Amino acid sequence: MKHALILCACVALVPGCDASPEAYPRLLPTDQILAEPTLPDHAPAAATSPAVVDAQAEARAAALRRRADALRGPVIEPDALARIQSD
């Protein structure tokens, strides 16, 4: 009976024995985990001026409007719709 329990415990641990590097998360050194985060460099002042930001926002809005207009087309092709309605 004792040997059966030991065998069951060993068999239960076998699926966790994966040697691939993707099996576990990558561990980081403690000094890297506890280090202060580095902040990205600031953008040049010209890139954050209100005029530039407004122009970028308008360009993005226009692109999104064009994309929305393209998606407003019919979902069912006209010939498929005609076949559905004729049935």
Side-chain angles (χ1 to χ4, degrees), residues 52-73:
V52 172
V53 171
D54 287 344
Q56 289 173 344
E58 286 297 326
R60 184 162 187 243
L64 289 172
R65 281 188 209 101
R66 285 191 303 273
R67 184 174 175 201
D69 288 339
L71 293 173
R72 284 194 182 102

Side-chain angles (χ1 to χ4, degrees), residues 13-79:
L13 294 175
V14 169
C17 298
D18 189 359
S20 66
E22 298 85 27
Y24 299 99
R26 187 173 59 93
L27 299 177
L28 297 174
T30 306
D31 58 340
Q32 187 176 354
I33 293 172
L34 298 176
E36 288 292 324
T38 57
L39 298 175
D41 294 333
H42 294 290
T48 57
S49 72
V52 172
V53 171
D54 287 344
Q56 289 173 344
E58 286 297 326
R60 184 162 187 243
L64 289 172
R65 281 188 209 101
R66 285 191 303 273
R67 184 174 175 201
D69 288 339
L71 293 173
R72 284 194 182 102
V75 177
I76 301 175
E77 293 86 12
D79 59 329

